[in-house]
């Protein structure tokens, strides 16, 4: 109470105007992400905003309300360079009114129909008029909705949009929009390329870094409302009392920002930390153990989100160890969480070492027969493609194949297979490509997005998860542009209908520059970047050519791993006749897992989209491509085009220097020079290697690789970051 009082007092004091001598801004190391509130350089625009933002009043009493006040107090004077009075619970006639929906607002501003569309987290931003004039109203059914509306309103200012006649109604399309951190308890981050884990577990709960609050704020600003704190390859210690206290400390920080915490749990925890001699989900004591554990957690974290589970996959324990199904395992946990409103997010990324079935086929084989057997508070989290976060994969055949079960989307934000944090890869086009794909299971319009948002099969529990790329690096994500992937993930989880290009523009304007020409150039760089990586790493549907373990750099020659389908040679199948993996009926028959007409399309090389050709087909080196080239030439051209495009990106970036703050500019420039080198490395290593089978010259006009294949094969990187 005391704190609220002091805050109220502080906020009612007029904030003194900040004067700026020039419009250029101080250097920016990337810490502020897209929440930079630097002075808008266009004076006219500033004045126009200022004239309608001299005072703001927020009605309500909660930590979230206080955060809204703080955010406005910080944003408006900094962006506009003008005075603003931010008050709490004053009956003043304010330019900006932020208030939860109520009868008075509804009748005064006639917003009944709008309010009905908001749901629990949505918001309305509306220009309203009354006797005393015009003002902006932000309203919602919850304080969190008000916070989201406030961030959206500030975003309008940051991106230079008119606020004169607003009527924005938004409601998130996915219910749970969460990050999955693959962070270990010793701060190592599996597939993390931005320093250590941001959770300083050793010092928690007492020492609470400012970063935790800044993290929550950044997430809330893009609508992320959940975070699974620890690695899916989980350590059972996370469920011990000492660790639950640490988790509680984070949950308390995140709560006013609308973020719930989730934990990845190890299925064998009852044995590892509970003193039981089994973790069989049908065993009474095991069930009780989980029920008590849930009670213990909810006692201290009443809004705990639930469990994320990787079971019977890559050596992790699971119900299969007791001949129980994934449904039996998941249902046991669901029952423990359900009295408290918690959910189980059970991953479909399963493949067992023992099962001889090709890895990409196992998830479908395991899960589709279980459709309808999962409890209501379970969502099955499916990676976007059937293998593993490759630069390009077809959509997972699970989407659309389990109509009775809520399916969650799992995207990877961290760039395990797309150049770590030194390659510029804007991933929203990848996310968009998957979400917009039409599974055709119920005729046209049965997009993956509709499976995820629950509208295809009328599902209430909906989830989109992104494997986080956040670490202790000052700029959070290692690469300035990798911030855009965190941002874009949040925006698409909120609304999958946004376009990746529009999201890029928002992010550029808020993070890098508002100068229109520069925005256009950067937008182009971003929008092309993922395809360039596909080209110089895995064109035409090739996949999993990365080196072993760390996945850093090319390793198409690797053939000595214990399981056949861990080896790149398994996936490209290059031989003297041709290249590609036959996944049709004459080969692994992955096509059989797709609904018609995809099954037919993917079975026929002439119908298969060329960018997935070698995913589904083994084709001769002289196969005729649509371009008129033979397959070998086309493949090599893709490799060369990809590497050349990065040289061009580097050139384009260098021309932008005057528009970007020095630190951001230099960080990106340094990374681009690494990327230029590594793209050529990928190109040359792969082309030389495939040439040993194709036995054909490079297409005319292309320069020969400067080093030998032996050289590339001899490279090793024992200390590459993020290893599993
Ligand atoms: C693979 C990663 C591995 C993860 C696994 C997973 O290489 O580190 O544990 O995915 O998603 O891509 O469980």
């Amino acid at each position: 109470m005391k704190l609220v009082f002091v805050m109220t007092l502080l906020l009612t004091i007029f904030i003194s105007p900040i004067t700026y001598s020039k419009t250029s801004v101080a250097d920016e190391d990337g810490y502020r992400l897209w929440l930079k509130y630097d002075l808008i350089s266009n004076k006219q625009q500033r004045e126009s905003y200022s004239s309608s933002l001299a005072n703001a009043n927020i009605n309500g009493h909660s930590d979230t309300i206080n955060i809204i006040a703080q955010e406005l107090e910080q944003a408006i004077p900094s962006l506009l360079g003008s005075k603003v009075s931010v008050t709490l619970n004053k009956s003043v006639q304010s330019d900006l009114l932020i208030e939860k929906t109520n009868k008075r607002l509804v009748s005064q501003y006639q917003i009944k129909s709008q309010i009905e569309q908001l749901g629990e987290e949505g918001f309305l931003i509306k220009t309203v008029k009354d006797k005393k004039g015009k003002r902006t109203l932000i309203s919602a059914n919850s304080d969190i909705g008000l916070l989201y509306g406030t961030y959206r309103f500030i975003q309008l200012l940051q991106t230079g949009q008119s606020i004169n006649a607003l009527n924005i109604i938004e409601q998130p399309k996915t219910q749970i929009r969460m990050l999955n951190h693959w962070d270990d308890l010793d701060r190592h981050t599996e597939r993390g390329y931005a320093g250590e884990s941001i959770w300083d577990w050793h010092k928690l709960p007492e020492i609470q870094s400012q970063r935790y609050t800044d993290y929550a704020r950044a997430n809330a600003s893009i609508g992320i409302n959940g975070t699974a704190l620890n690695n899916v390859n989980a350590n059972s210690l996370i469920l011990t009392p000492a660790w639950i206290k640490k988790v509680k400390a984070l949950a308390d920080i995140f709560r006013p920002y609308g973020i719930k915490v989730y934990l990845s749990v190890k299925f064998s925890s009852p044995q590892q930390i509970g003193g039981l001699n089994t973790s069989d989900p049908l065993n009474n004591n095991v069930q009780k153990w989980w029920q008590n554990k849930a009670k213990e957690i909810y006692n201290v974290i009443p809004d705990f989100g639930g469990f994320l589970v990787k079971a019977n996959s890559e050596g992790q324990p699971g119900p299969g160890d007791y001949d129980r199904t994934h449904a039996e395992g998941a249902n046991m946990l669901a029952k423990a969480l359900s009295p408290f409103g918690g959910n189980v997010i059970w991953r479909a990324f399963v493949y067992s070492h023992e099962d001889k079935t090709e890895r990409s086929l196992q998830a479908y084989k395991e899960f589709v027969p279980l459709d309808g057997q999962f409890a209501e508070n379970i969502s099955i989290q499916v990676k976007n493609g059937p293998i593993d976060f490759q630069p390009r994969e077809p959509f997972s055949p699970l989407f659309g194949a389990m109509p009775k079960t809520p399916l969650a989307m799992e995207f990877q934000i961290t760039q395990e297979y797309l150049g770590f944090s030194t390659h510029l890869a804007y991933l929203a086009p990848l996310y968009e490509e998957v979400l917009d794909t039409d599974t055709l299971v119920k005729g046209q319009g049965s997009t993956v997005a509709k499976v995820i948002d629950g509208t295809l099969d009328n599902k209430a529990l909906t989830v989109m998860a992104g494997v986080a790329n956040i670490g202790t690096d000052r700029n959070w994500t290692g690469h300035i542009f990798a911030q855009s992937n965190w941002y874009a993930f949040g925006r698409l989880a909120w609304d999958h209908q946004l376009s990746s290009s529009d999201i890029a523009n928002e992010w550029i304007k808020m993070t890098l520059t508002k100068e229109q020409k520069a925005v256009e150039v950067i937008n182009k760089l971003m929008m092309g970047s993922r395809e360039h990586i596909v080209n110089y790493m895995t064109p035409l549907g090739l996949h999993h050519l990365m080196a072993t373990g760390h996945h850093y750099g090319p390793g198409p020659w690797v053939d000595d791993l214990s399981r056949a389908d861990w080896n790149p040679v398994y996936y490209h199948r290059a031989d003297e006749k041709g290249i590609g993996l036959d996944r049709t009926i004459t080969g692994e028959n992955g096509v059989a897992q797709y609904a018609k007409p995809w099954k037919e399309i993917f079975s026929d090389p002439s119908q298969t989209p060329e960018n997935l050709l070698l995913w589904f087909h083994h084709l001769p080196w002289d196969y005729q491509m649509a371009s008129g080239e033979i397959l070998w030439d086309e493949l090599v051209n893709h490799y060369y085009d990809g590497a050349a495009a990065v040289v061009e990106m580097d050139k384009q970036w260098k021309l932008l220097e005057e528009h970007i703050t020095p630190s951001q500019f230099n960080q990106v420039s340094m990374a681009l020079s690494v990327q230029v080198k590594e793209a050529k490395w990928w190109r040359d290593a792969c082309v030389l290697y495939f040439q040993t089978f194709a036995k054909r010259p490079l297409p005319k006009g292309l320069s020969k690789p400067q080093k030998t294949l032996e050289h590339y094969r001899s490279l090793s990187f024992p200390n590459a970051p993020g290893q599993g």
Side-chain angles (χ1 to χ4, degrees):
M1 272 323 275
K2 227 158 98 198
L3 191 78
V4 174
F5 176 73
V6 174
M7 280 247 355
T8 314
L9 208 75
L10 283 177
L11 290 165
T12 47
I13 297 170
F14 276 70
I15 295 156
S16 44
I18 301 169
T19 47
Y20 291 88
S21 52
K22 48 182 194 152
T23 54
S24 75
V25 294
D27 203 1
E28 169 64 48
D29 60 13
Y31 188 83
R32 292 186 299 163
L33 296 162
W34 48 88
L35 294 168
K36 286 164 68 175
Y37 295 152
D38 294 326
L39 188 72
I40 294 167
S41 58
N42 180 331
K43 190 164 173 241
Q44 221 184 342
Q45 189 162 61
R46 243 169 29 222
E47 284 172 357
S48 136
Y49 287 152
S50 301
S51 64
S52 47
L53 281 174
N55 48 20
N57 183 56
I58 307 146
N59 287 331
H61 300 273
S62 70
D63 290 344
T64 305
I65 293 289
N66 295 340
I67 289 168
I68 294 173
Q70 273 171 14
E71 203 65 52
L72 288 173
E73 187 195 17
Q74 198 182 336
I76 298 179
S78 311
L79 285 164
L80 311 185
S82 63
K83 268 191 200 173
V84 64
S85 149
V86 180
T87 55
L88 284 178
N89 302 308
K90 289 268 149 127
S91 55
V92 290
Q93 176 71 17
S94 56
D95 292 332
L96 176 62
L97 172 63
I98 302 182
E99 183 172 343
K100 256 197 339 207
T101 56
N102 55 49
K103 279 193 190 141
R104 178 177 50 77
L105 286 182
V106 168
S107 76
Q108 187 171 358
Y109 299 118
Q110 295 172 4
I111 48 174
K112 186 164 179 287
S113 66
Q114 285 102 322
I115 295 294
E116 278 165 5
Q117 299 168 51
L118 302 184
E120 194 42 34
E121 294 177 298
F123 56 79
L124 163 73
I125 309 179
K126 190 169 171 56
T127 309
V128 290
K129 277 189 201 137
D130 50 37
K131 274 175 251 144
K132 292 192 183 145
K134 206 161 100 166
R135 57 159 121 182
T136 305
L137 169 72
I138 301 180
S139 195
N141 287 320
S142 65
D143 288 354
I144 294 301
L146 295 179
L147 180 66
Y148 290 151
T150 304
Y151 279 120
R152 184 81 169 88
F153 180 71
I154 295 171
Q155 188 205 74
L156 299 177
L157 306 179
Q158 285 179 283
T159 53
Q161 296 177 55
S162 163
I163 57 164
N164 287 331
L166 296 171
N167 190 16
I168 300 174
I169 302 167
E170 288 194 17
Q171 205 204 134
K173 292 199 166 57
T174 325
Q175 184 197 350
I176 300 176
R177 309 171 295 280
M178 73 187 308
L179 293 179
N180 289 182
H181 288 265
W182 285 358
D183 295 15
D184 295 324
L185 306 189
D186 62 1
R187 298 195 85 173
H188 169 265
T189 301
E190 187 156 338
R191 314 311 176 183
Y193 313 104
E196 295 192 283
S197 162
I198 58 167
W199 319 130
D200 194 347
W201 289 115
H202 181 69
K203 293 185 184 155
L204 280 164
E206 287 87 359
I207 311 286
Q208 303 186 354
S209 157
Q210 175 62 32
R211 269 217 175 202
Y212 305 152
T213 307
D214 296 342
Y215 164 90
R217 173 175 172 246
N219 279 319
S221 76
I222 49 176
I224 287 175
N225 66 358
T227 176
L229 300 172
N230 58 320
N231 194 351
V232 286
N233 294 318
N235 185 329
S236 51
L237 275 185
I238 195 80
L239 292 179
T240 56
W243 288 84
I244 292 173
K245 271 193 201 137
K246 296 169 192 279
V247 174
K248 173 190 160 32
L250 292 175
D252 288 346
I253 296 171
F254 300 161
R255 186 167 300 111
Y257 290 92
I259 298 168
K260 289 185 179 178
V261 298
Y262 295 72
L263 291 177
S264 297
V265 297
K266 206 174 195 73
F267 200 77
S268 55
S269 297
Q271 287 159 285
Q272 297 198 337
I273 56 165
L276 302 189
N277 59 9
T278 176
S279 296
D280 181 352
L282 298 196
N283 177 291
N284 254 337
N285 292 332
V286 171
Q287 294 173 357
K288 273 210 193 92
W289 187 86
W290 282 107
Q291 284 158 18
N292 289 334
K293 192 46 80 181
K295 220 179 275 164
E296 181 188 338
I297 297 172
Y298 278 95
N299 238 340
V300 288
I301 311 172
D303 57 350
F304 179 68
F307 296 145
L308 171 64
V309 195
K310 173 176 179 177
N312 291 125
S313 174
E314 299 187 320
Q316 291 299 323
D321 305 349
Y322 308 93
D323 279 334
R324 312 297 184 202
T325 66
H326 285 280
E328 286 169 320
N331 287 340
M332 174 201 48
L333 297 178
K335 194 169 167 204
L337 294 170
S338 106
F340 311 100
N343 294 310
V344 174
I345 299 174
W346 189 273
R347 296 178 83 227
F349 178 71
V350 302
Y351 69 94
S352 123
H353 294 53
E354 285 94 45
D355 192 335
K356 291 262 178 306
T357 315
E358 199 247 310
R359 176 180 155 180
S360 71
L361 307 181
Q362 287 191 31
Y364 184 99
K365 190 179 142 200
E366 289 265 359
F367 281 90
V368 171
L370 301 177
D371 191 25
Q373 294 183 29
F374 292 95
E376 264 184 9
N377 57 332
I378 298 174
S379 177
I380 302 298
Q381 184 167 297
V382 183
K383 286 189 182 180
N384 60 272
I387 294 262
D388 201 355
F389 297 142
Q390 295 301 294
R392 171 166 285 112
E393 298 192 27
F395 67 99
S396 165
L398 277 170
F399 296 122
M402 295 184 65
K404 296 184 189 136
T405 311
L407 295 189
M409 173 61 79
E410 179 172 325
F411 285 127
Q412 196 174 42
I413 309 174
T414 192
Q415 291 168 234
E416 173 180 0
Y417 299 100
L418 287 107
F420 290 13
S421 59
T422 32
H423 293 208
L424 193 167
Y426 176 52
L427 298 179
L430 186 164
Y431 305 153
E432 191 179 32
E433 179 177 298
V434 178
L435 290 165
D436 288 353
T437 302
D438 200 337
T439 67
L440 298 168
V441 286
K442 286 190 169 177
Q444 289 209 340
S446 316
T447 58
V448 172
K450 285 190 183 166
V451 176
I452 299 308
D453 73 12
T455 53
L456 191 67
D457 295 302
N458 200 18
K459 293 281 164 309
L461 175 59
T462 61
V463 184
M464 207 187 289
V467 179
N469 61 351
I470 298 159
T472 48
D473 276 6
R474 181 71 194 156
N475 68 12
W476 297 87
T477 55
H479 195 304
I480 292 285
F481 277 88
Q483 297 176 354
S484 68
N485 296 328
W486 176 8
Y487 180 85
F489 168 76
R491 297 288 287 139
L492 284 170
W494 179 273
D495 182 358
H496 55 68
Q497 275 169 359
L498 295 173
S499 88
S500 52
S501 175
D502 289 349
I503 296 173
N505 284 342
E506 284 172 8
W507 178 82
I508 297 164
K509 287 180 190 163
M510 293 193 287
T511 313
L512 296 173
T513 175
K514 293 188 185 54
E515 210 281 308
Q516 193 47 37
K517 272 270 160 326
V519 173
E520 282 164 26
V521 173
I522 299 169
N523 178 289
K524 262 209 174 134
L525 287 185
M526 290 172 75
M527 290 303 291
S529 59
R530 177 266 188 141
E531 203 60 40
H532 304 328
I533 292 186
V534 171
N535 282 337
Y536 63 72
M537 288 188 185
T538 52
L540 298 176
L542 288 174
H543 50 287
H544 231 305
L545 305 185
M546 294 78 193
T548 305
H550 45 61
H551 300 149
Y552 173 61
W557 44 79
V558 175
D559 61 0
D560 58 354
L561 303 177
S562 58
R563 210 188 131 92
D565 54 14
W566 281 344
N567 290 296
V569 294
Y570 178 92
Y571 293 104
H572 63 67
R573 307 269 172 114
D575 56 22
E576 291 187 2
K577 291 199 195 113
I579 183 169
L581 209 175
D582 180 5
R583 287 196 162 93
T584 68
I585 194 156
T586 53
E588 297 296 338
N589 207 15
V591 294
Q593 297 186 337
Y594 286 94
K596 283 180 183 171
W598 281 115
K599 196 186 293 190
E600 283 79 31
I601 294 171
F602 289 149
S603 293
D604 175 2
S606 72
Q607 289 188 60
T608 305
E610 277 197 349
N611 60 18
L612 291 171
L613 198 58
L614 304 178
W615 183 282
F616 289 108
H617 304 283
H618 185 81
L619 296 170
W621 292 110
D622 62 358
Y623 178 81
Q624 277 297 310
M625 303 293 288
S627 63
E629 306 273 9
I630 60 165
L631 173 58
W632 163 253
D633 287 352
E634 180 107 5
L635 183 72
V636 176
N637 283 333
H638 274 277
Y639 273 110
Y640 274 76
D641 287 351
V646 181
V647 174
E648 188 55 32
M649 284 210 296
D650 186 38
K651 273 196 206 142
Q652 295 285 322
W653 178 255
K654 298 270 153 61
L655 299 175
L656 295 167
E657 184 161 10
E658 64 177 302
H659 305 293
I660 313 285
T661 67
S663 173
Q664 287 176 309
F665 179 78
N666 289 332
Q667 289 184 51
V668 175
S669 297
M670 287 187 289
L672 275 168
S673 44
V674 174
Q675 190 177 357
V676 166
K677 269 198 289 182
E678 293 190 352
K680 283 191 191 140
W681 167 32
W682 264 97
R683 176 194 77 185
D684 292 351
C686 291
V687 167
L688 285 172
Y689 171 72
F690 290 132
Q691 199 172 30
T692 63
F693 302 101
K695 299 193 185 347
R696 289 167 192 269
L698 299 186
K700 276 206 190 89
L702 299 182
S703 58
K704 272 201 182 141
Q706 284 163 0
K707 304 229 164 73
T708 62
L709 179 58
E710 287 61 46
H711 165 78
Y712 295 116
R713 293 184 67 140
S714 73
L715 301 176
S716 80
F717 305 92
N719 299 314
Q723 298 225 31

